[in-house]
Amino acid sequence: MNALAAGFDTGNDDVFARIAQAIERHGYAIVDGGVPEATVDALFVQLTALADDAMARAAVGRDDVHQLNRFVRTDDTCWLDGDTPATRGFLGWMECLRLGINRHLYLGLFDYEAHFARYAPGAFYRRHVDAFGDLQRNRVLSTVLYLNPTWRPGDGGEMVLYAPGEGGAAVETVQPLYGRLAVFLSERFPHEVLTTRTTRFSIAGWFRVNGSVDGQIDPPR
Ligand code: OGA
Ligand code: MN
């Protein structure tokens, strides 16, 4: 166990084993109550208090091909640092998940990056794959934690997971319920966020393998 993972009882890794097993069988897992409630509550408080100028219009792609494409996605995002108890707790839990998945599935997950996301009423994120082309191939496993305490059917903002391939049918519609965590293989599942009618909060993150080439350290984002 390393420092980030300290404080969680990895001896009793029931939830981590359950997630690993679901990923092995289906390629994805939807889990309620996995991330500790106190951490979820603290994240919600921090996210809803973030000032507008801390949130940036989300871009598509990374680095030099970073583009703002408001036809593809219209959420606002803010990268997560482990500089508050809430984000430390969350990243610590994710570190346990990383270790648990590596132990069960040998995916060689190397690090994790995540951002808060706020979808204003009318916002969406069209069908896409998180690991595309050569650019984000090192994204192996995607996670989304939902932070919407009053979400009800009719509010929209569900995440739809599709079967692999271009015309793949919907395999799962995930309601963005408070404390719910979705984990799925990044390359396997195209997905989209349906237009939301209410402000919708989530934390999207990605476990990556080490993409360093020729001794050049792979930048985290
Ligand atoms: C993403 C994403 C899904 C969601 O940020 O890449 O697909 O439900 N988010 O917020
Ligand atoms: Mn995505």
Side-chain angles (χ1 to χ4, degrees), residues 82-220:
D83 59 356
T84 64
T87 52
R88 256 197 307 282
F90 176 72
L91 294 173
W93 193 87
M94 282 298 173
E95 178 62 7
C96 290
L97 179 58
R98 186 182 76 81
L99 296 173
I101 289 187
N102 281 347
R103 190 161 55 241
H104 288 96
L105 301 181
Y106 308 105
L107 286 182
L109 304 179
F110 175 74
D111 71 1
Y112 181 72
E113 59 182 359
H115 61 51
F116 287 121
R118 185 179 63 197
Y119 290 69
F124 54 78
Y125 193 165
R126 300 286 184 237
R127 181 171 167 146
H128 65 282
V129 180
D130 285 344
F132 52 85
D134 289 332
L135 284 163
Q136 294 174 329
R137 180 144 291 160
N138 57 356
R139 287 180 168 182
V140 172
L141 200 62
S142 301
T143 69
V144 192
L145 176 71
Y146 295 105
L147 297 167
N148 305 293
T150 62
W151 191 91
R152 290 179 303 170
D155 285 351
E158 294 93 340
M159 178 179 69
V160 183
L161 287 181
Y162 293 96
E166 225 160 72
V171 292
E172 191 80 49
T173 298
V174 183
Q175 299 180 338
L177 293 170
Y178 195 69
R180 173 167 288 178
L181 178 71
V183 185
F184 57 92
L185 291 170
S186 304
E187 270 191 272
R188 173 108 66 98
F189 293 98
H191 53 283
E192 76 173 310
V193 178
L194 302 179
T195 302
T196 185
R197 289 182 197 91
T198 56
T199 302
R200 170 202 195 266
F201 297 105
S202 59
I203 299 176
W206 300 273
F207 288 107
R208 310 180 327 139
V209 292
N210 190 347
S212 303
V213 181
D214 292 339
Q216 286 224 302
I217 306 260
D218 184 30

Side-chain angles (χ1 to χ4, degrees), residues 1-49:
M1 198 193 301
N2 62 26
L4 250 188
F8 291 98
D9 182 5
T10 46
N12 176 15
D13 67 346
D14 205 37
V15 66
F16 306 115
R18 268 195 292 131
I19 293 172
Q21 197 173 64
I23 289 166
E24 187 170 25
R25 286 192 187 152
H26 312 292
Y28 70 93
I30 314 293
V31 183
D32 290 318
V35 179
E37 205 176 308
T39 303
V40 173
D41 290 346
L43 289 167
F44 176 72
V45 169
Q46 187 176 334
L47 176 51
T48 51

